[in-house]
Amino acid sequence: GSSGINAEYGIKDALYRLLNEATKLEEIQGVFTTSDLIRYEDIDGTELLKDAGEKLKEILKSKTDAVDNIANFVRQKSPLRQGTQMQRDPPTCTYILAKDGQMGDRINLTFYPEFNAEVNLTETVVHFPVDVYEFSDEIKSAIHLTDGLEEVFVDNYSRDRFIFAQYFGSTSGLLRYYPAYYWEDVNNETDVYDCRFRSWYIEAAGQPRDVVFLMDTSGSMYGWALKVAKYTAKRLLSIISEKDHLAFFTFNTTTKPISCYPNLERARLKYINYLLGEIDKITAKGASNFTIALNTAFDVLEESARLNKTCDCQRAIIIFSDYLRSDYAEILQRRNPDGRVRVFILAFGAPNQGDTTKLEEIACTNNGFFSKVYNYGDVVPAISNILAVFGQPLSLNVPNIQTTWSTVYYEYDRQNFVLTVGKSVVLDYSLSTSAKIEPFLGVAAIDVDIPQMKTIMTGMFSGIMYAFMINNNGVIILHPRMVPIDDFTDKPDMDINDMEVTENSNDILEVAKSMLNRTTGSIRARSLVYFPDTIRGKETFQDTEYYMTSLDGYPFSIGIVVPSSERQIIKVDADKINKTLVRDSILSDVPDRLRWKKYPLCTKNITDTIDPNMLDAKELQLDPCYPDRYNTMAAEIQLTDPISKWWKSAEFTEWKSTLFLNNCTECLLDAFLVTNAGITRSYRNMSKDSRVMDPMDMQPFIHSRKGIPANTLLMSLLDRNDEDNIHFNISYSLGVQVGGDIFEPLAVAVKVQLKALRYILRKALGNNFNRVAVTLLDENAFIIFSTNDGYSPTEIDRFFDKTHPSPHLSGSRSISRSTR
C-alpha cells in the first residue's frame, strides 16, 4: 500500500542524506561541474589507439634492445670471433650452481617484491639438466662462452626496471640466468627442466615449420620399440611451437591420421593436447607399406599449401620406424627433387634389428638427420640433432635474424603469466663451417612480466576503458580478465572469444578477423562488461566501440574497448593547478587519507615532460610518459580537497559522534571517494586500518558504478562473516552533464555495519517500523536486509525468491524495491 511506497522513499532519502553529509557529494559534484580547472572532451578513439600503439612499441623496443645486447655479447665471445679454434679444454671459469645449497653463504640474497624471491642483482647462476654431465667439454665451453654476461644483465636492468629474468640457453643445455636466486624444485618433484625444450628456446631456435609425423605401426614395432617411439613423439610435440603447422599419421598396410584433421593444422595448445591423447591409443600390428606413407606425407604438404594451411617456411617429414625393406630413392627423387622437404628418420628397436643403412641414406640425401633411438636416454640427443638442423637456415642470414615472442605461459616462481622475448645466437655459416664450429650457439632471452604490462596499459586509460593485445595467431597476450585459475595450464592458449562476449556473436568474430588481418579500424557492438566489485560481481551489456590496430614491427595487434559510459575524458588546464595545495595535500595526508593508483615509471627523464616542482613523481610513482594522466590526478587532488578538510574538521567529528545517537560508535566504518584517474580519499587512516581497501582494489568499485545510471544509490555487500561483521557499501556515482551525455568522474561511498542499516530503517520508518515489512535488495535481487518475520542475518546474500517464495501473498505487508 501507500505506507510501503512512503517507506521506500523514506529509506532512500535517509541513505542519500547519510552519503551527502559524510562525503559532501553535492558540493563535490558542483565543483566538478563548474570548475575552470577541468573540461570534458569527447574521446577520439582513433587518436587514443594511435597514442597507445606508439607507447607500447616504445616499451617493446626496450625489451628487444636488451635481448640484442645479450646475443651480441655471446656472439662476440665465441672462439671464432676471438680468432681461436674451439679448444678441447676451455679456460676454467668460476660459477655458481643454481641449486647450490650454500648459495646464501657465497653471495648476498635479498628479497625483492618485484621478483617475489630472494635474489642477488649483481651475480648470475647456472643450471643444466640432470642428465648432462657438469664437467663435460660442452658444459665447460658454454660456461666460458657466457662468463661475464652479468655485466650485460645488470646494464639491461638499470635501463629498464621491468625486465625481469634474463638468461642465455646454450645448445649443451646450460642455462645462465639473472638475477641470481636459488633454484627450487616445483612441488618437490624431480628437476627435469631443460632449457632446450622450453617454448621460448624452440621458437627462437628455428624458423616456423610445416611438419608431417609418420609413425610405423607394423608388427615389427610391437613392444619396446613402439613404447620408446611414442615417448619420443610426445617429446617432439613439446618442442612444436604455435607458429608451426603439423599433421600426425600412423602407417602399416594403410596410412591414416590419428586425428580428425587430414591436413596440416596450426599447433595450438588445444590441438597438441588432443594429439598427445591419441598417441596413447596407438598399437602395432600387420605389415608396413612405406610407399603409401611417403606419398601421403607429400600429398598433405602440397594440399595444405593449396589451402593456405602452412607457415610457408621450413617443411619436414619425421619418420618413426625400425628399418626399411626396399629402396625408396625413386619416390623421394620424384616428390622431393630439390630437397626442400627435410626428412628426419628415427630408428627404433634393438641395435641388431634390421639394416638401417637405407634409412640413413634417405635422411642424409634429403637435408635431414638420422638418429638411432634404442632407449629413453637416446631421445634427447636425437631431438637436439633435429633442432640443430632446423636452426641451420638462420646461419645463412645472420644479419636478418628476427626476435621471437613466445606465447604467454605460467611462471611458477612468480606465480603469474610471463611472455619471453628470445633471439638465436648464430655464427655466419660459411665461417663456422671452415672453422669446424657449430654455427648455432643458443638462445638469448628475457622475461616480460604480464601483470606489469597490464599496469602500464591501464595507465593509458581512465574509467572502465581498457586495452587488450593478441599475437598474429590470435592468442591473447594481455587482457584485464586474464588471470590464473585453478585448472590453468602452462600455456593458457586463450583467444578473443574467451575474453570478450558480444550479444551478436558475429561482432566479436569481426573484431578478431580485423586484428588477425592487422587492419586498423573500429567496430560497434553491445559487449558484456564485468564489474568485480561485490562478493558476486556484476555483468551487464553495454554499447561498446572496439578500436583495433597492429603494432608495426611486432607480431601483435591491440584493441581498445570504449563502453558508452566512457565517451568523455577529463582535460586539465595545467596552468591552473594549485601546485602548493596539491603538494601540501600529499605531504600532510600520506599515508593517512590520500592514496593514488600507482603506475610504473618509464625510462624518460622526469624533467623532459613534467614540472619537477609540481609533484614528486618518484614518490607518487606516476609515469611521466603520460603527462595527461599525471595532470588529471593532480587536478583531482585539488578538486576533492574540500572533502579532506571536512573529514579533518571538528564539525565532522561532532557529526559522526551523534550520527547514530551514540548507540553504534563503529557503525560508520569509513567514508571515501574514488576518481576515474585513481585518486582515493578516505577519512580513516588507510595505512593502519585493514578494513579500508587499497586504491588499487578500489578501482573496480568505481567501475561497477558505470553499469547503472549516474546519480543513483547502490548498495553492495562487502563482507559476511557473522552478524557483527556484515559490512555494506552505500555508494553514489556523481554525474556531470556533458552535451547530451552524462559523464561520471567519481563516486562516493560509505561503509557501514548491519546495525547501522537497522538504525536507518527504524529512523526512516518511524512509527511504521513495526507495521511495515521492508526487504532491501541489491541490483541483482539478492537480500541486503529484511524486517520480515523470521528473518536472520544468515539470509543476507541469498537470492530473494529462495527466502521469500511468495512475497506478493504477504497480506498487508509490502516489499521495497532495491535502493537502486
Side-chain angles (χ1 to χ4, degrees):
S2 60
S3 61
I5 296 175
N6 291 334
E8 174 189 344
Y9 285 100
I11 294 169
K12 288 183 177 181
D13 183 60
L15 294 175
Y16 179 83
R17 285 201 312 273
L18 172 63
L19 262 176
N20 186 38
E21 292 174 2
T23 66
K24 297 295 183 182
L25 70 87
E26 291 181 356
E27 181 179 345
I28 298 296
Q29 188 172 30
V31 169
F32 272 81
T33 302
T34 61
S35 175
D36 60 356
L37 174 61
I38 59 173
R39 65 185 186 278
Y40 303 97
E41 293 184 359
D42 291 341
I43 287 176
D44 185 338
T46 303
E47 192 64 28
L48 193 66
L49 184 69
K50 180 181 177 181
D51 290 344
E54 291 302 317
K55 288 182 173 66
L56 268 176
K57 285 194 286 187
E58 288 181 16
I59 293 167
L60 297 177
K61 186 178 185 304
S62 72
K63 317 303 180 188
T64 57
D65 288 346
V67 172
D68 285 340
N69 293 337
I70 301 170
N72 290 337
F73 174 89
V74 175
R75 191 178 296 109
Q76 295 296 328
K77 186 79 180 292
S78 70
L80 179 61
R81 291 285 183 176
Q82 294 178 344
T84 61
Q85 298 293 324
M86 181 68 74
Q87 301 179 38
R88 182 65 179 170
D89 188 16
T92 301
C93 302
T94 60
Y95 56 92
I96 302 172
L97 292 175
K99 305 186 75 170
D100 184 351
Q102 282 73 48
M103 182 187 297
D105 297 331
R106 298 181 60 183
I107 58 176
N108 181 40
L109 297 176
T110 304
F111 181 81
Y112 286 87
E114 56 266 39
F115 296 105
N116 193 34
E118 291 185 344
V119 303
N120 184 292
L121 295 179
T122 60
E123 299 286 349
T124 63
V125 292
V126 298
H127 174 279
F128 43 82
V130 293
D131 57 352
V132 174
Y133 180 48
E134 178 182 352
F135 302 107
S136 66
D137 291 335
E138 293 78 12
I139 289 295
K140 287 192 290 185
S141 295
I143 289 174
H144 172 63
L145 185 67
T146 59
D147 186 42
L149 259 179
E150 59 272 4
E151 294 180 8
V152 179
F153 292 149
V154 170
D155 183 63
N156 282 340
Y157 184 63
S158 68
R159 295 172 185 272
D160 186 345
R161 291 288 179 175
F162 298 106
I163 292 176
F164 287 84
Q166 304 179 61
Y167 37 95
F168 176 81
S170 77
T171 53
S172 65
L174 179 130
L175 176 76
R176 186 184 287 272
Y177 66 84
Y178 170 92
Y181 64 88
Y182 180 72
W183 186 290
E184 293 187 7
D185 296 334
V186 178
N187 298 325
N188 294 318
E189 297 178 358
T190 302
D191 178 19
V192 295
Y193 182 92
D194 189 331
C195 66
R196 296 169 296 182
F197 297 99
R198 300 298 291 177
S199 61
W200 57 268
Y201 188 100
I202 302 303
E203 292 182 22
Q207 296 168 316
R209 300 161 284 246
D210 293 337
V211 184
V212 177
F213 288 74
L214 291 178
M215 180 173 286
D216 185 350
T217 56
S218 62
S220 61
M221 286 284 288
Y222 181 82
W224 178 253
L226 183 61
K227 186 174 183 179
V228 177
K230 289 162 68 173
Y231 172 79
T232 306
K234 289 183 175 182
R235 290 299 300 265
L236 273 168
L237 286 179
S238 72
I239 71 168
I240 295 292
S241 80
E242 67 156 24
K243 299 172 185 176
D244 300 330
H245 287 70
L246 67 93
F248 201 116
F249 291 80
T250 59
F251 70 94
N252 42 34
T253 55
T254 61
T255 300
K256 57 185 179 180
I258 67 171
S259 72
C260 54
Y261 302 105
N263 294 304
L264 295 174
E265 294 292 328
R266 187 175 292 281
R268 292 285 296 269
L269 180 64
K270 297 170 186 176
Y271 182 45
I272 295 295
N273 287 338
Y274 170 60
L275 291 179
L276 291 174
E278 296 302 306
I279 288 174
D280 288 331
K281 303 174 185 178
I282 294 176
T283 58
K285 62 181 179 179
S288 64
N289 190 325
F290 201 70
T291 299
I292 295 179
L294 266 180
N295 280 315
T296 298
F298 284 106
D299 290 343
V300 167
L301 290 172
E302 292 172 2
E303 178 64 12
S304 297
R306 188 185 68 81
L307 297 173
N308 200 30
K309 288 189 171 184
T310 174
C311 65
D312 195 27
C313 197
Q314 295 196 83
R315 295 187 294 170
I317 298 172
I318 301 179
I319 300 169
F320 304 74
S321 188
D322 45 6
Y323 64 96
L324 300 183
R325 299 164 181 82
S326 301
D327 186 355
Y328 298 94
E330 185 276 329
I331 295 176
L332 289 164
Q333 187 174 3
R334 176 170 49 86
R335 301 301 300 265
N336 193 34
D338 54 5
R340 295 194 63 183
V341 177
R342 297 182 183 275
V343 178
F344 298 94
I345 299 182
L346 305 176
F348 300 87
N352 58 354
Q353 180 179 338
D355 183 8
T356 61
T357 303
K358 293 175 182 176
L359 294 176
E360 294 182 50
E361 291 177 356
I362 290 175
C364 292
T365 56
N366 287 273
N367 298 315
F369 203 93
F370 171 80
S371 297
K372 296 179 180 180
V373 187
Y374 298 140
N375 54 59
Y376 291 132
D378 298 328
V379 174
V380 170
I383 295 177
S384 297
N385 290 331
I386 293 175
L387 286 176
V389 175
F390 274 135
Q392 283 180 358
L394 296 175
S395 65
L396 301 175
N397 193 19
V398 171
N400 296 317
I401 292 178
Q402 299 295 311
T403 301
T404 60
W405 301 77
S406 75
T407 54
V408 173
Y409 61 93
Y410 189 79
E411 173 57 58
Y412 288 89
D413 289 337
R414 284 196 293 280
Q415 299 183 357
N416 222 312
F417 293 124
V418 168
L419 174 71
T420 297
V421 190
K423 190 170 188 177
S424 286
V425 183
V426 183
L427 301 177
D428 182 88
Y429 186 76
S430 59
L431 294 177
S432 61
T433 302
S434 63
K436 298 182 180 180
I437 295 176
E438 177 61 44
F440 179 54
L441 301 178
V443 174
I446 65 167
D447 282 350
V448 178
D449 193 67
I450 294 299
Q452 178 257 336
M453 288 288 289
K454 276 187 187 180
T455 304
I456 290 174
M457 293 187 74
T458 302
M460 300 178 186
F461 312 105
S462 61
I464 58 173
M465 286 188 293
Y466 61 90
F468 62 92
M469 185 165 68
I470 67 171
N471 65 16
N472 285 347
N473 297 321
V475 178
I476 288 285
I477 298 297
L478 188 151
H479 195 286
R481 290 193 288 274
M482 182 177 167
V483 294
I485 54 178
D486 292 339
D487 58 348
F488 70 90
T489 59
D490 282 355
K491 299 178 182 179
D493 195 32
M494 295 177 284
D495 53 34
I496 297 178
N497 291 327
D498 296 316
M499 296 285 106
E500 295 287 323
V501 179
T502 54
E503 278 190 333
N504 184 342
S505 59
N506 290 328
D507 291 337
I508 197 61
L509 293 178
E510 286 299 314
V511 172
K513 181 179 178 181
S514 176
M515 297 182 75
L516 286 172
N517 290 334
R518 297 181 66 83
T519 58
T520 298
S522 63
I523 293 175
R524 182 164 295 177
R526 283 187 59 78
S527 64
L528 191 66
V529 181
Y530 176 68
F531 307 115
D533 172 44
T534 63
I535 286 178
R536 289 176 303 281
K538 177 187 173 187
E539 294 180 344
T540 183
F541 281 99
Q542 287 195 25
D543 291 331
T544 303
E545 194 83 23
Y546 287 90
Y547 296 90
M548 304 82 64
T549 192
S550 61
L551 299 180
D552 294 337
Y554 300 92
F556 304 118
S557 293
I558 62 168
I560 294 178
V561 183
V562 183
S564 57
S565 57
E566 292 294 314
R567 289 174 180 161
Q568 287 78 33
I569 192 170
I570 290 179
K571 291 292 185 178
V572 178
D573 186 343
D575 293 335
K576 296 180 179 178
I577 293 177
N578 187 333
K579 300 175 185 179
T580 302
L581 183 150
V582 174
R583 184 169 55 247
D584 290 347
S585 295
I586 294 171
L587 295 176
S588 63
D589 281 345
V590 172
D592 296 336
R593 298 183 174 93
L594 174 64
R595 292 283 183 91
W596 42 83
K597 190 171 184 181
K598 296 181 179 180
Y599 303 99
L601 287 167
C602 66
T603 57
K604 291 184 178 179
N605 190 314
I606 293 174
T607 57
D608 290 343
T609 52
I610 298 298
D611 180 353
N613 295 319
M614 177 177 158
L615 292 173
D616 184 353
K618 186 176 182 181
E619 172 67 24
L620 275 173
Q621 294 188 31
L622 298 176
D623 192 338
C625 290
Y626 308 112
D628 288 345
R629 171 58 62 91
Y630 186 94
N631 289 331
T632 300
M633 295 181 78
E636 289 178 344
I637 291 175
Q638 180 174 330
L639 294 176
T640 57
D641 185 62
I643 199 171
S644 176
K645 288 184 170 60
W646 164 238
W647 286 335
K648 294 176 182 178
S649 68
E651 290 81 2
F652 176 78
T653 303
E654 183 180 354
W655 170 82
K656 182 177 176 292
S657 67
T658 60
L659 180 59
F660 300 107
L661 301 177
N662 295 320
N663 294 324
C664 184
T665 56
E666 287 299 319
C667 279
L668 181 64
L669 298 175
D670 194 12
F672 52 87
L673 66 80
V674 183
T675 70
N676 260 6
I679 296 297
T680 301
R681 287 191 183 272
S682 165
Y683 93 79
R684 304 290 296 223
N685 186 322
M686 288 189 281
S687 63
K688 298 178 181 178
D689 193 338
S690 61
R691 293 174 296 183
V692 180
M693 298 186 207
D694 184 89
M696 289 295 286
D697 299 322
M698 291 304 296
Q699 286 307 293
F701 158 73
I702 190 170
H703 292 176
S704 66
R705 304 299 84 96
K706 303 288 186 176
I708 64 173
N711 304 323
T712 304
L713 283 170
L714 179 67
M715 294 190 65
S716 306
L717 176 63
L718 292 179
D719 307 304
R720 185 190 64 185
N721 298 319
D722 52 55
E723 186 171 359
D724 292 328
N725 288 289
I726 299 176
H727 306 152
F728 302 93
N729 263 351
I730 305 171
S731 57
Y732 189 89
S733 180
L734 278 66
V736 176
Q737 188 75 37
V738 182
D741 296 317
I742 299 292
F743 179 66
E744 302 171 53
L746 74 158
V748 296
V750 292
K751 183 179 179 181
V752 299
Q753 286 192 0
L754 176 63
K755 290 183 287 186
L757 207 55
R758 186 181 293 116
Y759 176 83
I760 293 171
L761 284 173
R762 180 178 293 277
K763 187 174 181 180
L765 293 175
N767 294 332
N768 290 323
F769 183 78
N770 295 320
R771 298 172 45 227
V772 178
V774 177
T775 299
L776 298 182
L777 309 178
D778 69 6
E779 72 277 15
N780 295 314
F782 284 77
I783 292 176
I784 292 290
F785 180 77
S786 177
T787 62
N788 266 311
D789 294 338
Y791 163 82
S792 72
T794 59
E795 293 186 10
I796 288 178
D797 197 35
R798 293 187 182 180
F799 190 63
F800 181 74
D801 284 353
K802 291 187 177 180
T803 53
H804 299 73
S806 302
H808 59 283
L809 298 178
S810 56
S812 61
R813 297 174 179 242
S814 66
I815 305 299
S816 172
R817 290 168 290 181
S818 163
T819 57
R820 192 187 142 184

